[in-house]
Amino acid sequence: MSDHEYTPKSKAGKWFNDRLPLLTLANHLTDYPTPKNLNYWWTFGGILTFCLITQIVTGLVLAMHYIAHADMAFESVEHIMRDVNYGWLIRYIHANGASMFFLAVYIHIFRSLFYGSYKSPREIIWIIGIIIYLLMMAAAFMGYVLPWGQMSFWGATVITNLFSAIPLVGEGVVTWLWGGYSVDNPTLTRFFTLHYLIPFLILGLVVLHIWALHVPGNNNPVGIDVKKPSKDTVPFHPYIVIKDGFALLMFMIVFAFFVFYAPNILGHADNYIEANPLVTPAHIVPEWYLLPFYAILRSVPDKLLGVVAMLSAILILAVLPWLDTSKIRSAVFRPLYKQFYWILVADVLILGYVGAMPAEGLYLLIARVATAYYFLHFLVILPVLGLKERTIPLPLSITEPVLGGSPNMAMAKKKESKIE
Amino acid sequence: MSDKKPERRDFLFTATYAVGAVGAAAVVWPLVDQMNPDASVKALASTEVDVSSLKPGNTITVLWRGKPVFIRRRTQEEIDVARSVKMEDLIHPEKDEDRAKNPEWLVMLGVCTHLGCVPLNDKGDYDGWFCPCHGSHYDTSGRIRKGPAPWNMEVPKYEFVNANTIKIG
């Protein structure tokens, strides 16, 4: 794993390391050569690790007080909020932590889209990332069901009913998922079990994600390969550790703002009403981080095709490395891709907005156009663009544009001639 | 591999894999099947409802197997509208006569066939039911007329035990 042989200094360290090379691993993580031009968009990997640990720790504590039973779940959450010492704080951190987790993961994904981090040789890192993202959505959805409020119950009903769209076996699958003929106690207990399990699956995948990352090393804003270790790289510690740490502090300020000043702003008031299988809330909306996909689901008038469109919207990301035909990674050198990138960002934001609105009239029309564009971007624009686009010449090394003052070589050249 | 004749050893390998696969499947099945409805859930099969207090134009909602069931005592006007619809205008063609044997009484699962929400009474473009979740419109016979739901609301097995009591299930 390491680029050079490592021998612990102390005799005891050497004895231990010969038997279990943990110190070699620690040394690799410390010295890991990192491109020196990484910007702040690269700090979200560390932030996401923090988010995962936060969710696991707060979740563990909540599980000590929560009761997974249809008759008691809602009350036990109120018990946590009112009676348990600091229960309100722990629950608000956990609930808002999920939103912060998704905020960070979306920035992380869109950073990858901008700088082409999913391209060869990093396809496996990317695919593991998409699996983690899918598991995050599953965990978040099931976690939202646990308080057994109105949104919990009806969200669970709607999402599990998506499986009824499967031809022939759909109804059987849904009954199997529920453990009954509707969302009820058996559903709640299994959701609790899975909600507890998934974070640890994610943790395992994060290890693989980082392992796969450490084989080729980080991509960087210029998107060209770096020789490592060389003058293009700096050791992970202390350089990246400090930078990640600073970004994490900034992120925690945002996190703390939500926890202490607006703990319920990202939730839905209806979830403070206990689940009632006889009354559907007037307007069912999922949590904000699922809204773009919800908009895609609703924009298709056919049940099965709607579900297929929604799943495809996520799974299409897994084959992205092969849909994007351009060999150039960074959007900095792809003037057209850069514009389409920002259109895609706007498109997803629009989908998120209309996902929160009623599915009728103008909103429905906008959702349909935005859905069509989403697929157009991945299935048509990206493959064609890679073949047609005239890219800007790449610099020879990541040091060159840094010294020239611009990531664009032509600009750097211009500056150089001015200096001369 | 292909030009070699299968040997005794190849046979043993294949037989071992096959037995292993059957064994694994036999162990996995109980782990999968435990998630299906258990005996106590299945036991709650039927429920009896007193409908004597229902006036024409009123609906009550009762819980059966964890799901809402609509019982509506329809007005003559609603019955006429439901029975006059042409079959070719329906997404899921079903005669009102088949859905409501006794035309005054419409009994059906109050579950939208799209994604399982509970539709609202006396709402929508067809004056029947309207699902607030994703905008499915049902007529006075509970048949889907507009929106993403694929089927009419389901009519469960039910019978009149006596003039005032309906037994569902």
Side-chain angles (χ1 to χ4, degrees), chain B residues 15-36:
Chain B
T16 311
Y17 292 145
V19 171
V22 170
V27 173
V28 165
W29 177 244
L31 297 175
V32 172
D33 191 45
Q34 55 81 24
M35 280 176 67
N36 272 317

Side-chain angles (χ1 to χ4, degrees), chain A residues 83-342:
Chain A
D83 304 337
V84 175
N85 300 331
Y86 292 103
W88 59 273
L89 177 66
I90 295 158
R91 175 164 177 265
Y92 277 154
I93 291 175
H94 194 73
N96 286 283
S99 281
M100 294 301 113
F101 206 157
F102 275 94
L103 175 67
V105 92
Y106 282 128
I107 296 174
H108 195 61
I109 290 171
F110 273 101
R111 186 269 291 157
S112 193
L113 291 179
F114 188 84
Y115 293 111
S117 302
Y118 49 86
K119 292 185 195 182
S120 172
R122 297 185 180 82
E123 300 95 324
I124 299 295
I125 313 173
W126 172 256
I127 289 170
I128 293 171
I130 296 298
I131 298 170
I132 292 173
Y133 175 50
L134 278 170
L135 285 175
M136 277 174 64
M137 289 199 277
F141 158 65
M142 291 195 229
Y144 195 58
V145 173
L146 302 185
W148 212 240
Q150 272 291 66
M151 279 293 161
S152 301
F153 183 89
W154 291 101
T157 301
V158 168
I159 300 294
T160 48
N161 260 306
L162 292 178
F163 291 91
S164 71
I166 304 169
L168 302 175
V169 293
E171 295 295 332
V173 169
V174 173
T175 304
W176 177 73
L177 287 173
W178 287 341
Y181 304 104
S182 63
V183 172
D184 211 331
N185 195 48
T187 326
L188 177 60
T189 50
R190 66 190 55 179
F191 275 23
F192 179 57
T193 310
L194 294 173
H195 182 72
Y196 207 124
L197 167 72
I198 291 174
F200 296 98
L201 297 180
I202 293 177
L203 192 63
L205 284 165
V206 166
V207 171
L208 291 182
H209 194 62
I210 296 172
W211 186 0
L213 168 70
H214 280 225
V215 175
N218 288 76
N219 183 32
N220 65 77
V222 179
I224 59 173
D225 293 330
V226 296
K227 292 187 189 74
K228 50 167 196 166
S230 71
K231 60 175 185 162
D232 283 351
T233 65
V234 290
F236 188 78
H237 183 76
Y239 296 95
I240 302 298
V241 170
I242 292 298
K243 187 168 184 165
D244 275 2
F246 178 70
L248 180 59
L249 272 177
M250 295 295 113
F251 185 79
M252 284 160 88
I253 291 174
V254 178
F255 197 148
F257 168 79
F258 280 107
V259 169
F260 292 106
Y261 292 96
N264 287 309
I265 201 166
L266 297 169
H268 199 293
D270 277 14
N271 221 28
Y272 282 103
I273 304 168
E274 193 169 358
N276 179 356
L278 291 178
V279 183
T280 306
H283 188 48
I284 294 191
V285 277
E287 292 277 78
W288 68 268
Y289 39 80
L290 302 175
L291 286 174
F293 300 109
Y294 192 60
I296 291 175
L297 168 77
R298 296 194 306 181
S299 71
V300 182
D302 182 86
K303 181 171 165 177
L304 176 61
L305 292 181
V307 175
V308 169
M310 185 182 72
L311 289 177
S312 310
I314 304 166
L315 295 177
I316 205 168
L317 293 172
V319 290
L320 176 61
W322 295 275
L323 289 173
D324 187 345
T325 49
S326 176
K327 292 274 178 281
I328 308 294
R329 292 196 192 105
S330 175
V332 172
F333 305 101
R334 301 184 61 192
L336 280 176
Y337 173 72
K338 198 194 267 180
Q339 293 176 32
F340 284 115
Y341 169 84
W342 287 113

Side-chain angles (χ1 to χ4, degrees), chain B residues 43-103:
Chain B
L44 303 167
S46 71
T47 198
E48 286 191 10
V49 189
D50 178 11
V51 294
S52 56
S53 61
L54 226 61
K55 293 190 180 71
N58 282 5
T59 304
I60 55 165
T61 308
V62 295
L63 209 58
W64 173 64
R65 285 178 158 186
K67 280 180 178 170
V69 174
F70 293 152
I71 302 176
R72 183 172 180 90
R73 188 166 181 185
R74 298 192 294 181
T75 60
Q76 191 54 45
E77 192 190 342
E78 286 169 357
I79 299 167
D80 294 343
V81 170
R83 303 226 150 164
S84 64
V85 177
K86 290 195 199 94
M87 281 300 116
E88 53 265 34
D89 292 341
L90 295 173
I91 296 168
H92 175 195
E94 267 187 325
K95 281 188 182 156
D96 186 61
E97 286 83 345
D98 297 332
R99 291 177 59 79
K101 292 273 190 295
N102 178 349

Side-chain angles (χ1 to χ4, degrees), chain A residues 21-37:
Chain A
L22 272 185
L23 294 171
T24 302
L25 178 66
N27 174 257
H28 162 79
L29 293 175
T30 317
D31 283 357
Y32 171 64
T34 322
K36 66 182 175 188
N37 60 340

